[in-house]
Amino acid sequence: MKLSAFLLALVASLTVAASASAAVPKQCRYLGGKAALLPFPNDAWTKKDSASETGRRLNLPARCAPENAAGTAIDLTDQNRLDGFSPGSQLVLKVPGVNSPKAFKRSKLAPITDIAASLRRKAPIVILDANSRKRQAYWAELDANASRNSRRTILVHPAKNLVEGRRYVVVVRNLRTGSGKKVKPLKGMRKKRKSARLKSILALAKRAKIKAKGIHVAWEFTVGSEQSLQSRLLRMRDDAFAKLGDTDLADTRVDGKAPAFKVTGVEAYTPEENPQLLRRVTGTFQVPCYLSSPGCGPGGRLNLGADGLPAQAPGSEQTARFVCVIPRAAQQAAGRGSLYGHGLLGDADEATKGTSIWLMAQESNMTFCATDWSGMSTEDVGNTAEILKDLSKFPELADRLQQGILNFMYLGRLMRHPQGLSADPAFQVGDHAAFALGNLFYDGNSQGGILGGALTAVSPDFRRAVLGVPGMNFSLLLTRSSNWKTYGAVFNPAYPDEASRPLALSLIQLLWDRSESDGWAAHITSDPPPGTPNHEVLMHVARGDHQVTTAAADIMARTIGARANPNPLFPGVSDEKTPLWGIETIPAFPYAGSAIIYWEPGGGLARVPKQPLTNTPEHLGVDPHGDPRYTQIARQQKSAFLTADGKVIDVCNGGPCQAEKDPARP
């Protein structure tokens, strides 16, 4: 059964309920607001904790969480272990009367097309860094997925990730309804102005020259610390590599032994069968398992030790599989080795199915090896469908994804170790190995770009990565993706209250951060985690992408410091007042640093219209999602970057980059 058919078949099993109409408990409302846990994120739902890095701990009340159609509230136990909120997830608020495009415009909220408006002196929403009192850029939008104005929330997206461990103050003021009436302050804003919390918030706003008059609501929230976001995966990595005998990963030496592996199949091709590939090698390798499920299969959660960090259950291992493709070019000389990261809920076989990978392998003499992204692979489809029906199960996905990242690191070590893959006869070509051991690289697309950012941040064995059609922050990505038509068909009936869906996605984002680019972005290209080398990244983006919104790629570029082409876009293809606002340009080529390169869809400028400006999956034209990887000059740019001292080269003659309609593409 096809993936979409499998998921859609589950819809019939859901009990569809009417939108929630029960009164919201008082303990779930902030300053007299009517929506549970909104505005969110909010330190009102935290408590003091002197043992945490931020001095706080999330304290989200169990009875306040969104409920599914069966009446089951999201279990927030794992979220409440965190010491702060996501550095990049959306802010969600509900303002009476500000729920229509007309009200949005009258209130002069900064739209996605004018991020600069969020920093204006009279901006109606202000996000302040409590340390510096500097304003943080963002864009706001109404949830266009709600069918009625009364169910619409306002979503606010930071244009660049917020700083870990930092406290932020949000002020919402001078809003107007669709009829032009001024929005009154929440009752609690008037009654509790003398409370210590609100006095502190308003005092900081005053120092930032924001007047108290006209404020509808103000609140504060704390972003989680590095320790809270990263400690689990880093513990797994360090413990697993110590078992190999390597206790100093920052020096990138290959110390200790190679992971245990077994080659299970070799498929050789004639030039007529495959002009690019010489052979396909499959096998398995052993990775310490940190999940409670047997063999680290779907449905397990991290096995936590007494210190609250992952611990390997005695003798527990995952038998992960690998798939490698060796190009014909390897017959002339040993080439380069690279990991490959597959797309949404796919598997390692993607490395042998896509002709773009064959072309990249042959043109650059690169042997690509892939494994499944445990947690979001084909093997996880059934469990993912169950999670969509009950988000209390979401830790099963987030935890297994961290195991999946560890699996990729172990496969990387197999590609670099003298007793690893290259020593096996399956990887010998004539009198030499198919690839040299000196340097390893990473190339991933779509989900492989989203999760590949987290892998890049922690990887000890490669220092350069290409992230194809990437983005970050799944709470932003999901409803904008054409894939959401399939997954939303399961999620939406399961969570029938339209007003609570954005909050539900923000709540699971808190856990997703540990295993996707959003939680690691500040450390991908600078300030690496302890025991980790520096990395550089080349992002390839498809303008008008139907599956991964380019808005998410822009946020990623701003956060990791990736620079764009001096002339990144053709005139007239963007609705933004300042296209690629806040992203610096490359001063000169070749460029030694991280970059974001936009690719205009192949087949001409008319092929893809301007991308949607709402958080919906509605797109027109042909999806350009795969265009960059099927473009020869794009592959040339990737190849030049994926070398020991690689640089970003200009393959577009100083202007915007145009993808080609490659005849080799299926």
Side-chain angles (χ1 to χ4, degrees):
M1 182 182 288
K2 289 185 178 180
L3 174 62
S4 58
F6 175 82
L7 290 174
L8 290 171
L10 292 170
V11 177
S13 68
L14 299 173
T15 303
V16 180
S19 295
S21 57
V24 176
K26 186 176 180 180
Q27 71 182 107
C28 305
R29 294 181 287 152
Y30 177 69
L31 297 181
K34 295 182 179 181
L37 298 183
L38 300 188
F40 183 90
N42 194 331
D43 274 356
W45 319 120
T46 65
K47 61 183 179 181
K48 291 182 179 179
D49 185 350
S50 59
S52 79
E53 293 289 321
T54 64
R56 308 208 68 80
R57 187 75 59 191
L58 267 58
N59 189 32
L60 296 156
R63 65 182 303 192
C64 303
E67 295 182 353
N68 66 7
T72 303
I74 301 173
D75 183 352
L76 301 175
T77 301
D78 259 32
Q79 283 86 342
N80 284 336
R81 292 190 173 105
L82 299 166
D83 66 8
F85 297 94
S86 172
S89 70
Q90 60 196 4
L91 282 62
V92 186
L93 62 151
K94 201 168 190 304
V95 180
V98 186
N99 51 24
S100 67
K102 194 171 184 180
F104 188 96
K105 188 173 182 179
R106 284 185 180 275
S107 296
K108 298 182 180 179
L109 293 167
I112 191 173
T113 54
D114 191 8
I115 294 174
S118 69
L119 299 176
R120 291 175 186 155
R121 186 172 61 87
K122 294 185 178 181
I125 297 178
V126 180
I127 303 176
L128 291 172
D129 183 318
N131 282 18
S132 65
R133 298 200 299 274
K134 288 184 178 180
R135 298 187 181 205
Q136 307 300 299
Y138 64 85
W139 86 82
E141 62 187 356
L142 294 174
D143 178 18
N145 292 290
S147 59
R148 292 178 290 146
N149 285 347
S150 62
R151 311 309 296 160
R152 295 193 198 284
T153 50
I154 299 173
L155 310 178
V156 182
H157 305 280
K160 177 183 178 180
N161 270 15
L162 304 175
V163 179
E164 298 151 336
R166 196 73 60 86
R167 183 171 68 97
Y168 290 86
V169 162
V170 186
V171 177
V172 181
R173 57 184 181 162
N174 301 328
L175 299 180
R176 300 271 181 172
T177 66
S179 63
K181 291 183 180 180
K182 293 181 179 179
V183 175
K184 297 179 181 179
L186 286 178
K187 290 182 180 179
M189 284 295 298
R190 296 193 295 266
K191 292 181 178 180
K192 297 187 178 182
R193 281 183 178 270
K194 293 184 180 180
S195 70
R197 181 189 295 270
L198 206 50
K199 281 176 70 176
S200 171
I201 292 171
L202 294 176
L204 188 143
K206 185 177 181 180
R207 290 195 296 273
K209 300 183 179 179
I210 298 174
K211 297 179 181 179
K213 184 179 179 181
I215 294 179
H216 167 69
V217 66
W219 77 95
E220 63 183 344
F221 68 94
T222 303
V223 176
S225 67
E226 291 181 33
Q227 190 276 338
S228 184
L229 290 163
Q230 302 172 8
S231 59
R232 289 187 174 189
L233 180 54
L234 290 178
R235 167 63 66 85
M236 293 165 65
R237 180 198 69 174
D238 294 349
D239 183 65
F241 276 84
K243 295 179 191 301
L244 297 176
D246 192 344
T247 57
D248 186 1
L249 300 179
D251 63 8
T252 71
R253 289 196 306 265
V254 180
D255 299 328
K257 61 184 179 181
F261 74 98
K262 180 190 299 183
V263 170
T264 58
V266 179
E267 183 179 1
Y269 304 107
T270 66
E272 292 73 27
E273 290 173 327
N274 194 313
Q276 289 86 29
L277 299 187
L278 182 66
R279 69 181 73 128
R280 172 183 186 263
V281 183
T282 57
T284 61
F285 60 105
Q286 301 304 120
V287 188
C289 173
Y290 294 85
L291 298 180
S292 60
S293 52
C296 266
R301 298 193 180 185
L302 283 173
N303 180 52
L304 302 179
D307 59 359
L309 294 176
Q312 181 188 12
S316 179
E317 289 188 329
Q318 180 174 1
T319 301
R321 71 189 193 107
F322 67 80
V323 179
C324 300
V325 290
I326 300 173
R328 295 194 173 279
Q331 295 175 109
Q332 280 70 54
R336 288 169 277 172
S338 177
L339 295 169
Y340 178 77
H342 66 72
L344 182 62
L345 292 171
D347 56 35
D349 288 324
E350 185 178 306
T352 59
K353 292 176 181 176
T355 53
S356 68
I357 304 167
W358 305 349
L359 292 165
M360 180 72 182
Q362 173 65 2
E363 293 163 359
S364 304
N365 193 5
M366 297 184 77
T367 292
F368 285 101
C369 290
T371 188
D372 300 341
W373 280 112
S374 289
M376 290 186 72
S377 68
T378 302
E379 187 182 25
D380 297 282
V381 168
N383 197 52
T384 300
E386 293 301 317
I387 290 169
L388 285 169
K389 296 192 294 183
D390 182 2
L391 295 183
S392 294
K393 300 175 181 290
F394 191 79
E396 296 173 8
L397 184 151
D399 287 1
R400 193 163 189 257
L401 267 180
Q402 292 169 82
Q403 178 71 34
I405 291 175
L406 176 62
N407 295 352
F408 264 90
M409 287 190 278
Y410 251 46
L411 180 57
R413 179 51 57 96
L414 270 175
M415 294 188 76
R416 286 198 68 212
H417 201 286
Q419 280 76 54
L421 298 183
S422 67
D424 191 276
F427 291 88
Q428 297 297 309
V429 182
D431 61 353
H432 60 270
F435 59 92
L437 296 175
N439 294 285
L440 179 70
F441 306 97
Y442 176 82
D443 189 359
N445 287 291
S446 195
Q447 181 181 285
I450 299 165
L451 305 181
L455 171 63
T456 300
V458 299
S459 175
D461 283 325
F462 68 81
R463 306 187 76 160
R464 292 180 178 278
V466 171
L467 304 180
V469 284
M472 64 184 196
N473 189 336
F474 274 109
S475 63
L476 166 66
L477 288 164
L478 286 178
T479 63
R480 283 177 149 82
S481 173
S482 57
N483 296 299
W484 189 244
K485 292 181 180 180
T486 297
Y487 305 111
V490 179
F491 173 77
N492 290 339
Y495 287 87
D497 180 15
E498 294 177 326
S500 72
R501 289 174 189 162
L503 172 62
L505 295 180
S506 291
L507 288 168
I508 62 173
Q509 182 64 48
L510 294 171
L511 305 182
W512 230 330
D513 279 343
R514 292 181 174 134
S515 49
E516 66 125 307
S517 295
D518 191 58
W520 296 89
H523 309 281
I524 293 175
T525 57
S526 60
D527 188 24
T532 313
N534 288 307
H535 296 88
E536 290 184 348
V537 165
L538 172 61
M539 300 170 62
H540 272 188
V541 180
R543 188 189 69 78
D545 196 318
H546 292 196
Q547 298 179 54
V548 182
T549 176
T550 53
D554 292 347
I555 295 172
M556 188 175 185
R558 295 185 195 102
T559 305
I560 71 173
R563 291 177 175 245
N565 271 354
N567 298 298
L569 300 173
F570 285 97
V573 301
S574 174
D575 284 302
E576 297 175 272
K577 286 190 175 181
T578 306
L580 304 191
W581 182 92
I583 299 175
E584 296 184 30
T585 56
I586 293 171
F589 290 103
Y591 173 62
S594 296
I596 178 171
I597 307 297
Y598 265 76
W599 291 88
E600 189 64 31
L605 300 182
R607 184 164 176 253
V608 174
K610 296 175 182 178
Q611 69 177 31
L613 302 179
T614 59
N615 64 328
T616 59
E618 301 303 325
H619 299 269
L620 300 173
V622 179
D623 186 3
H625 186 67
D627 283 5
R629 73 192 91 161
Y630 281 97
T631 297
Q632 186 176 33
I633 58 172
R635 296 193 297 270
Q636 289 173 354
Q637 188 178 63
K638 293 200 303 181
S639 183
F641 182 78
L642 296 177
T643 62
D645 57 352
K647 295 179 174 60
V648 181
I649 61 172
D650 179 17
V651 294
C652 304
N653 298 318
C657 290
Q658 174 77 57
E660 62 191 35
K661 185 101 172 136
D662 195 322
R665 184 175 180 178

